[in-house]
């Protein structure tokens, strides 16, 4: 087992992980300290029991098991997943729920589904409609810094798009706002104006 305790988080980097081994390690850390959130990178690297002979059913069993564990422990689990290749054949390359790889159970069992989308990666200008975005300090955001968090499923909330400024060298995210609309930049993003449904939402 390769566990690294760094400040206030733990990285578990063992080569072989199953649903049961993940739950056991989480429970062992719960006995030592409070756990606020768990990130799993990524879903299809988790070994399955191979009892169904179909990989989509294996993934469904896995996501259902982790969802039940999250409800029992009341600890949110964030699971990263690959997308299939269909997203690369779309005109603007925007991901959709159907792009979740291997199984529809990921969409079904997840309480929230978020996609990260950087138009500049695909050579797309995110500002071709004349829009401009600024961060909380009023700095203009360049096209290669613009990133969208697409909320495609929110069982207890609202779907839409959150614009962010992404600083690649630090992997840092900063709140972003449309400059084309009259907005008030305050310390609390919830105090600011935003566009609803398929536009910008506050984080």
């Amino acid at each position: 087992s390769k566990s690294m305790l760094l400040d206030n988080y733990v990285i578990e980097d063992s080569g072989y992980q199953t649903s049961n081994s993940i739950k056991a390690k989480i429970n062992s850390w719960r006995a030592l300290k409070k756990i606020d959130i768990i990130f799993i990178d990524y879903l299809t690297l988790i070994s399955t029991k191979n009892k169904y002979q179909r990989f989509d059913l294996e993934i469904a069993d896995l996501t259902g098991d982790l969802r039940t564990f999250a409800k029992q422990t009341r600890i949110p689990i964030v699971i990263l997943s690959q997308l299939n290749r269909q997203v690369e054949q779309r005109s603007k390359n925007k991901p959709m729920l159907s792009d979740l790889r291997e199984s529809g159970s990921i969409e079904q069992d997840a309480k929230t589904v978020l996609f990260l989308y950087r138009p500049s990666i695909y050579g797309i200008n995110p500002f071709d409609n004349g829009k401009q975005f600024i961060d909380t300090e009023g700095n203009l955001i360049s096209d290669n810094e613009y990133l969208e968090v697409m909320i495609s499923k929110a069982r207890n909330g609202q779907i839409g798009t959150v614009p962010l400024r992404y600083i690649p060298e630090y992997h840092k995210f900063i709140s972003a706002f449309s400059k084309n609309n009259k907005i008030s930049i305050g310390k609390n993003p919830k105090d600011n104006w935003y566009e609803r449904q398929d536009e910008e939402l506050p984080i």
Side-chain angles (χ1 to χ4, degrees), residues 76-112:
I77 299 178
V78 179
I79 303 175
L80 280 68
S81 176
Q82 288 184 318
L83 302 181
N84 60 37
R85 296 288 183 181
Q86 292 177 5
V87 67
E88 297 177 2
Q89 301 168 3
R90 212 164 288 131
S91 58
K92 289 192 176 182
N93 304 103
K94 280 198 171 186
M96 301 167 55
L97 286 172
S98 58
D99 294 324
L100 287 169
R101 195 170 180 179
E102 309 297 356
S103 175
S105 70
I106 303 173
E107 174 191 349
Q108 178 181 316
D109 290 330
K111 205 169 183 180
T112 305

Side-chain angles (χ1 to χ4, degrees), residues 2-203:
K2 300 177 182 178
S3 295
M4 293 177 281
L5 179 58
L6 303 169
D7 294 330
N8 63 342
Y9 62 94
V10 177
I11 296 177
E12 176 64 47
D13 196 27
S14 299
Y16 180 80
Q17 298 280 8
T18 65
S19 177
N20 286 335
S21 70
I22 289 172
K23 291 187 292 183
K25 285 164 186 171
I26 292 170
N27 283 328
S28 67
W29 280 104
R30 283 178 65 209
L32 297 174
K33 61 191 301 182
K34 182 176 181 287
I35 296 178
D36 297 309
I37 191 167
I38 298 156
F39 294 88
I40 298 177
D41 183 18
Y42 58 91
L43 179 64
T44 51
L45 288 180
I46 301 174
S47 299
T48 57
K49 300 173 184 177
N50 297 316
K51 63 182 180 182
Y52 292 109
Q53 306 301 317
R54 277 179 50 189
F55 194 58
D56 60 328
L57 296 180
E58 298 288 343
I59 294 298
D61 192 39
L62 180 58
T63 56
D65 191 26
L66 291 174
R67 181 174 183 266
T68 300
F69 182 72
K71 291 179 71 173
Q72 290 172 343
T73 59
R74 302 185 68 84
I75 301 174
I77 299 178
V78 179
I79 303 175
L80 280 68
S81 176
Q82 288 184 318
L83 302 181
N84 60 37
R85 296 288 183 181
Q86 292 177 5
V87 67
E88 297 177 2
Q89 301 168 3
R90 212 164 288 131
S91 58
K92 289 192 176 182
N93 304 103
K94 280 198 171 186
M96 301 167 55
L97 286 172
S98 58
D99 294 324
L100 287 169
R101 195 170 180 179
E102 309 297 356
S103 175
S105 70
I106 303 173
E107 174 191 349
Q108 178 181 316
D109 290 330
K111 205 169 183 180
T112 305
V113 177
L114 307 176
F115 295 110
L116 300 183
Y117 175 62
R118 287 182 67 194
S120 62
I121 292 292
Y122 301 101
I124 298 170
N125 180 4
F127 310 134
D128 58 2
N129 57 2
K131 275 196 172 184
Q132 290 182 309
F133 288 83
I134 54 176
D135 63 18
T136 51
E137 301 296 323
N139 299 311
L140 198 63
I141 298 173
S142 65
D143 56 351
N144 66 324
E145 291 178 326
Y146 180 78
L147 179 143
E148 293 179 355
V149 177
M150 300 171 59
I151 307 171
S152 296
K153 178 183 177 181
R155 190 167 292 167
N156 298 322
Q158 183 180 343
I159 63 172
T161 301
V162 180
L164 295 175
R165 180 187 179 196
Y166 172 58
I167 305 177
E169 54 265 37
Y170 302 112
H171 290 296
K172 183 177 181 179
F173 298 88
I174 302 174
S175 296
F177 305 91
S178 173
K179 188 182 178 183
N180 303 68
N181 299 284
K182 292 182 179 180
I183 57 175
S184 169
I185 301 297
K187 291 184 179 179
N188 184 355
K190 292 182 180 179
D191 296 334
N192 301 324
W193 181 95
Y194 63 94
E195 299 172 1
R196 292 186 179 273
Q197 188 67 26
D198 296 326
E199 290 296 330
E200 292 88 47
L201 301 175
I203 58 173

